[in-house]
Amino acid sequence: MSQPPEPDQPPSPYEPPPGGQQPPYGQSPGEQYGQDQYGQQPSSEHYGQPSYGQPSYEHPGQPPHGQQWGQQPPYAPQGPYGQYGPPSPQQGGGGTNVLAILSLVFAFVFAPAGIALGHLAKRQLRTSGEEGDQLTTWGLALSYIFTGLYLVACCGWLALVIWAGSPGTNT
């Protein structure tokens, strides 16, 4: 059985209040007896005077402009269904174009692919506003140079095979 609280101690929050009454929803048992949830008497802030560190307002008892005490600030407006975050601007550049980088890389790996990627990157750079025009130019130039060297090497090798296999030369 619970005993009534002593005069100098607040009632226990774990025991029902005397008389079997429950405090209103959202209110702790101590608040029902003029105390806050920690068992202390209300400060001067409850009487219209701000406590130390609290902002003061021209009209005591009025909430700050635009917001009530205890309420969350309003959420930002949500975009249309299926989109994430705020819409991004169409113009304005967002870094280096990926195809520009790939055209430079493929100039050394497989030059004909570097040519194709370079021309695609040039077309994208005209419309998107991204960076990478100089990378694309270097990728195209190196791709054309290496493709020309590959063609010269292949034609030279083919000419050597044909010349070595012809029956007219005896040495």
Side-chain angles (χ1 to χ4, degrees), residues 66-141:
Q67 185 178 354
Q68 299 290 327
W69 286 104
Q71 291 183 347
Q72 293 182 343
Y75 290 109
Q78 294 188 2
Y81 179 75
Q83 292 183 354
Y84 298 101
S88 60
Q90 296 297 330
Q91 301 291 333
T96 306
N97 189 307
V98 174
L99 290 179
I101 297 169
L102 289 176
S103 72
L104 186 61
V105 170
F106 273 92
F108 297 101
V109 178
F110 184 65
I115 293 171
L117 290 171
H119 284 291
L120 288 173
K122 284 281 191 188
R123 182 179 295 163
Q124 278 187 358
L125 288 173
R126 274 184 260 152
T127 59
S128 70
E130 292 177 311
E131 297 176 7
D133 188 46
Q134 202 167 26
L135 281 175
T136 305
T137 304
W138 276 102
L140 278 170

Side-chain angles (χ1 to χ4, degrees), residues 3 6 15 18 24 31 33 37 52 71 80 89 120 146:
Q3 298 176 358
E6 296 181 22
E15 296 179 12
E31 292 176 41
Y33 299 109
Q37 68 183 34
Y52 181 74
Q71 291 183 347
L120 288 173
F146 287 138

Side-chain angles (χ1 to χ4, degrees), residues 42-49:
S43 66
S44 62
E45 180 183 42
H46 293 194
Y47 297 109
Q49 298 173 352

